[in-house]
């Protein structure tokens, strides 16, 4: 009997449904090749368009279904013209992170040599690191709490022992897992600004405490400004990076830039009991409905989901499917004749996903 997983699917707004449909098709194709696992997709309404029609951005029933699901696959939510009465944008994905306590934002940066990256790589310079962004506190904790007077604005950064301990344990375990599988060098770098702020000295101290429990991994420290420099000058030195929310927000876009743009940047937001997988980009309302959106980041996020479910449930076939899906995307992404418009090609979303399906068939 296959192990069945329920996936809560949030298609969301803008290009969301356009990139989600071919991604679900690829997942269907993969699961048909095995009797070890199966996936049931549960489409959940939420987002700016849903809010515009119903007055609710994340209905309670969708939240329940997300909580009950084995994993959550999300495309993109939010539209610039649809806002709450206070003027802020509709972003149920942030609400999901809060309610499900998804403290670890995982942003893999894997740079395929070729035309996409702005870096000039020598033959042996492989870039494959993971940036982990704390996703529930840091400076973002202040969202909606900041104080603004006529003369002064203040926002407060928050670092707690409880969340940092979970974050660092997660990060060290990921470094160990990568090292075991021959993917990483067994190094983890805590990125902070401990030379200036007490909160970051505290963050670093908690990192060092966790390091004591992971003797097989080398724990380093780096300041965030130097890290930005090195991500451009010598990104191949990194394996796992772990950092505060705001620093992670900025560095993950730099990582996406190294890969060749947001169109190739997947992500996962992971907690102790739940996980959301979604592309780093937004709903791209300027191209919604045109059928030209790049589906790569969405497909790579689905690959991360397969890897997470497979690893947690001891299903090697699922982990293998994840690798095949990822390799298929990278194979297509370096071929100018098969890429979508944002990567310089002329292919539609559906045609691009079709090339990924063809590449996948070669790996099967
Ligand atoms: P958010 O704040 O929700 O991240 P945003 O407004 O910063 O959203 P996006 O929605 O990501 O940004 O869009 C930024 C630009 O990138 C737009 O020009 C958009 O068309 C383009 N873009 C984003 N995602 C894709 C995609 N998958 N395929 C093609 N172009 C994309």
């Amino acid at each position: 009997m296959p192990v069945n997983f329920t996936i809560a699917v949030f298609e969301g707004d803008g290009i969301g449904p356009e990139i989600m449909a071919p991604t679900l098709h690829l997942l269907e194709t993969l699961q048909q090749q095995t009797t070890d696992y199966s996936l049931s997709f549960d489409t959940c309404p939420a987002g700016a368009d849903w809010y515009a029609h119903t007055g609710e951005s994340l209905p309670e029933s969708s939240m329940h279904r997300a909580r009950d699901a084995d994993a959550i696959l999300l495309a993109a939510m939010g539209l610039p013209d649809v806002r709450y009465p206070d003027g802020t944008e509709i972003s149920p994905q942030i609400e999901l992170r809060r309610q499900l306590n998804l403290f670890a934002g995982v942003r893999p940066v894997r740079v395929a040599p070729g035309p996409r990256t702005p870096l000039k790589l020598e033959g042996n310079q492989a870039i494959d690191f993971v940036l982990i962004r704390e996703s529930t506190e840091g400076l973002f904790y202040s969202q909606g709490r900041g104080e603004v007077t006529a003369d002064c604005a203040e926002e407060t950064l928050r670092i707690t022992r409880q969340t940092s301990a979970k974050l660092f344990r997660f990060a060290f375990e990921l470094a160990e897992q990568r090292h075991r599988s021959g993917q990483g060098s067994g190094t983890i770098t805590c990125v902070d600004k401990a030379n200036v702020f007490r909160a970051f000295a505290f963050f670093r101290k908690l990192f060092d405490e966790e390091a004591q429990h992971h003797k097989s991994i080398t724990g380093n420290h780096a300041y965030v400004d130097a890290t930005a420099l090195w991500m451009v000058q010598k990104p191949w030195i990194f394996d796992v990076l772990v950092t505060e929310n705001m620093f992670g927000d900025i560095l993950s876009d730099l990582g996406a830039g190294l890969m060749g743009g947001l169109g190739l940047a997947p992500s996962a937001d992971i907690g102790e009991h739940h996980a959301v997988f979604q592309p780093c980009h937004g709903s791209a309302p300027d191209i919604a409905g045109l059928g030209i959106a790049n589906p790569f980041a969405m497909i790579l996020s689905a690959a991360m989901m397969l890897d997470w479910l497979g690893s947690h449930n001891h299903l090697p076939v699922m982990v293998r499917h994840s690798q095949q899906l990822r390799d298929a995307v990278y194979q297509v992404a370096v071929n100018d004749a098969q890429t979508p418009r944002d990567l310089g090609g002329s292919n539609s979303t559906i045609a691009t996903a079709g090339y990924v399906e063809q590449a996948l068939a070669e790996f099967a």
Side-chain angles (χ1 to χ4, degrees), residues 192-193 222-234 238:
D192 56 46
K193 196 71 186 168
Y223 299 130
V224 64
D225 39 356
T227 303
L229 180 77
W230 295 336
M231 276 178 69
V232 175
Q233 284 189 336
K234 46 178 180 176
F238 295 121

Side-chain angles (χ1 to χ4, degrees), residues 15 262 281-287 293-294 342:
I15 60 168
L262 280 171
H281 60 71
S283 63
D286 52 336
I287 57 163
N294 177 351
D342 62 313

Side-chain angles (χ1 to χ4, degrees), residues 31 60 88 103 112 233 255 280 313 337:
Q31 66 165 324
E60 198 46 47
T88 57
F103 54 86
Q233 284 189 336
C280 287
N313 295 282

